[in-house]
Amino acid sequence: MMSSVTTGEAAPVAMSAADRDALLHGAFVAHYTPMLRLATLLTGERAAAEDVVQEAFVKLHRSIERMSDRAHLGGYLRTIVVNEARSRHRHLRVVERRRPPVAPDSVSAEDDAVLREDQREVIAALRTLSDRQRECIVLRYYGELSEAEIAKTLGIAPGSVKTHTSRGMAALAAALEGGR
C-alpha cells in the first residue's frame, strides 16, 4: 500500500463537494476500464477484478481531498489495484491452506466465448507464474509501463523488475511451447 497519499510538494487544496464529485467522475470515466483489465490480468477472474477496482475507487474517494497532486490519479489507482490484487492473493493463499482442495472453478460460457484459444493459453500460462513475475509482465506488456514506473508501482528496485520480467518471460515461453 502507498505510504503516503500525497505525491507532490504542495499542500492539499480544499475542494467543494461538486469539484470532488466531478474529479472522481472524470477519474472513473478515464481509468475504470484500464484498471479493470489490469486487475483481471492480475487476479485471473473478472468478478475478483471488479471487486479490486471497486475497492480502489473507494480508497481514492476516501483520500482524494488529502492528495496534493491530483494530476496523477491514474498512477495512484494503478498502485492501489496492484496492492489490492496482492492482498487478495495473500488472503486466498491463507484460505487455501485451511481448506481441503476443491475442483477449480470453470470459466463462464460468456467469458469462454469471448476469449480466443490463444488468449486462454496465455492467461493459463500467466497463472503459473509467481505473483511478482505476473505483476511485472502485466504492467510491462499490458500496462506499457517503463521499468522505473513498474518499480515505483510495485515498490521494488528497477533491477528486480528486470529480473522478474526476464524470468517470467522465460517461464511463459516454456509454458506456451510445452502446450503446443
Side-chain angles (χ1 to χ4, degrees):
M1 199 162 261
M2 293 183 73
S3 61
S4 174
V5 175
T6 59
T7 58
E9 295 297 321
V13 177
M15 61 178 18
S16 69
D19 289 343
R20 183 191 66 237
D21 291 346
L23 185 60
L24 288 168
H25 180 265
F28 184 83
V29 169
H31 300 292
Y32 178 79
T33 301
M35 293 302 123
L36 182 61
R37 288 181 184 140
L38 172 64
T40 301
L41 289 169
L42 292 173
T43 64
E45 300 173 22
R46 173 74 183 229
E50 289 172 347
D51 291 343
V52 164
V53 173
Q54 177 180 342
E55 185 61 27
F57 277 98
V58 167
K59 288 184 178 189
L60 176 64
H61 179 266
R62 288 181 187 149
S63 62
I64 198 161
E65 291 187 18
R66 295 187 314 268
M67 293 178 71
S68 63
D69 189 359
R70 296 180 185 129
H72 295 93
L73 292 178
Y76 182 69
L77 279 167
R78 185 173 45 247
T79 299
I80 296 172
V81 166
V82 170
N83 287 336
E84 288 296 316
R86 281 184 189 158
S87 294
R88 182 179 182 284
H89 282 293
R90 280 191 299 268
H91 173 74
L92 290 177
R93 280 193 294 262
V94 169
V95 168
E96 286 181 25
R97 283 194 299 252
R98 293 191 163 100
R99 165 178 5 146
V102 294
D105 292 337
S106 61
V107 176
S108 70
E110 298 86 17
D111 287 342
D112 194 46
V114 172
L115 293 177
R116 296 187 331 247
E117 181 62 30
D118 58 337
Q119 291 173 319
R120 284 192 291 270
E121 290 174 7
V122 171
I123 289 171
L126 274 172
R127 289 181 181 147
T128 66
L129 301 178
S130 71
D131 291 344
R132 188 68 71 176
Q133 289 173 351
R134 183 174 48 255
E135 292 165 355
C136 287
I137 289 173
V138 167
L139 289 172
R140 176 69 183 105
Y141 296 101
Y142 168 74
E144 298 179 353
L145 299 182
S146 68
E147 289 171 352
E149 291 170 320
I150 296 169
K152 183 177 178 182
T153 299
L154 298 179
I156 60 176
S160 294
V161 171
K162 289 180 184 180
T163 300
H164 291 301
T165 302
S166 175
R167 290 178 182 167
M169 290 301 291
L172 268 180
L176 292 173
E177 286 298 319
R180 293 178 191 240

